[in-house]
């Protein structure tokens, strides 16, 4: 039975000159996995300590780290 999303082998790779072609690289998928785990850990911390002065800075810090990890210049 097929799922709603196509398999990776069925996705057409874009032209290498396109700006978003880096999203299909193995290195970027690895970074995306790190970001996913970071958000899961931050979410668990937010659930453990549901205090606004803790949740807001942690969310902002996690957003900053996520953007820094997935930055295309690195």
């Amino acid at each position: 039975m097929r799922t709603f999303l196509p398999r990776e082998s069925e996705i057409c790779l874009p032209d290498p000159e396109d700006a978003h072609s880096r999203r299909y690289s193995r290195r970027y998928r690895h970074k995306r996995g790190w970001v996913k785990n970071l958000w899961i850990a931050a979410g668990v911390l937010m659930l453990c300590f549901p205090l606004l002065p803790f949740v807001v800075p942690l969310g902002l810090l996690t957003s900053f780290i996520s953007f820094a990890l997935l930055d295309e210049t690195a």
Side-chain angles (χ1 to χ4, degrees):
M1 180 179 272
R2 263 190 95 164
T3 60
F4 291 106
L5 297 174
R7 283 186 243 126
E8 285 186 30
S9 61
E10 294 176 351
I11 297 174
C12 295
L13 289 178
D15 184 26
E17 301 299 319
D18 288 342
H20 60 87
S21 63
R22 66 183 171 84
R23 293 186 306 150
Y24 297 101
S25 69
R26 183 174 185 266
R27 183 175 177 210
Y28 187 81
R29 284 194 312 255
H30 183 70
K31 287 182 182 181
R32 206 170 54 200
W34 274 97
V35 169
K36 179 190 75 166
N37 292 335
L38 175 70
W39 274 103
I40 289 172
V44 168
L45 281 173
M46 289 178 191
L47 288 174
C48 290
F49 304 104
L51 303 169
L52 192 61
F54 180 75
V55 170
V56 171
L58 182 62
L60 292 173
L61 178 67
T62 307
S63 298
F64 173 74
I65 292 172
S66 298
F67 283 125
L69 282 174
L70 295 177
D71 187 20
E72 62 187 36
T73 59

